[in-house]
Amino acid sequence: MVRTVALLILLAPAAEAFPVPKPARTPNVVGTTWEGTTQWSSSRTTSKITFAEGGKLIYGRNANSNHTWKQNGATVTWSINNYSHYTATLTGNTLKGTATNKVNNSAVVKLTKLEEK
């Protein structure tokens, strides 16, 4: 028992010498604009979206109140007119994920963050 305590006392300073790095903080997407493609089974669409303040989504030039978004860490979800729903993972300047709509179509989504002007 004494040896175990002595060993722990000796190793304690070594643990402080090698701290575990904190994970990088996921950036908030509010105020950012993204452009990319959604590949549905029968079509491919290109779109531009902006994650505006208050959970409002601007789809193209349309800021319809039924376009909404949320972010939880690196996961970003959004809905366009309560018809299609998207879930994507934020990695650097890319959002990749999936989408579904009310008629049970599914899609693959890939968006790239546009540089701020």
Side-chain angles (χ1 to χ4, degrees):
M1 175 78 175
V2 174
R3 288 184 186 170
T4 303
V5 172
L7 182 59
L8 289 174
I9 292 171
L10 289 173
L11 292 177
E16 292 175 11
F18 301 101
V20 176
K22 293 181 181 178
R25 189 170 158 251
T26 302
N28 191 327
V29 297
V30 68
T32 61
T33 300
W34 301 73
E35 189 171 53
T37 59
T38 303
Q39 181 65 55
W40 298 95
S41 59
S42 61
S43 66
R44 179 181 175 121
T45 59
T46 300
S47 57
K48 182 177 179 181
I49 62 173
T50 300
F51 297 106
E53 292 278 345
K56 293 183 180 185
L57 181 79
I58 300 169
Y59 178 65
R61 295 181 189 170
N62 185 349
N64 183 321
S65 62
N66 288 330
H67 304 330
T68 59
W69 71 275
K70 291 181 183 178
Q71 182 176 7
N72 184 4
T75 301
V76 182
T77 59
W78 65 97
S79 175
I80 297 175
N81 204 27
N82 291 318
Y83 180 81
S84 54
H85 304 279
Y86 300 75
T87 300
T89 301
L90 174 62
T91 306
N93 288 332
T94 304
L95 279 168
K96 289 183 184 178
T98 58
T100 58
N101 64 22
K102 284 192 174 185
V103 293
N104 294 321
N105 291 327
S106 59
V108 175
V109 180
K110 182 177 179 187
L111 303 173
T112 302
K113 182 179 175 185
L114 298 179
E115 293 296 321
E116 297 178 29
K117 295 179 182 178

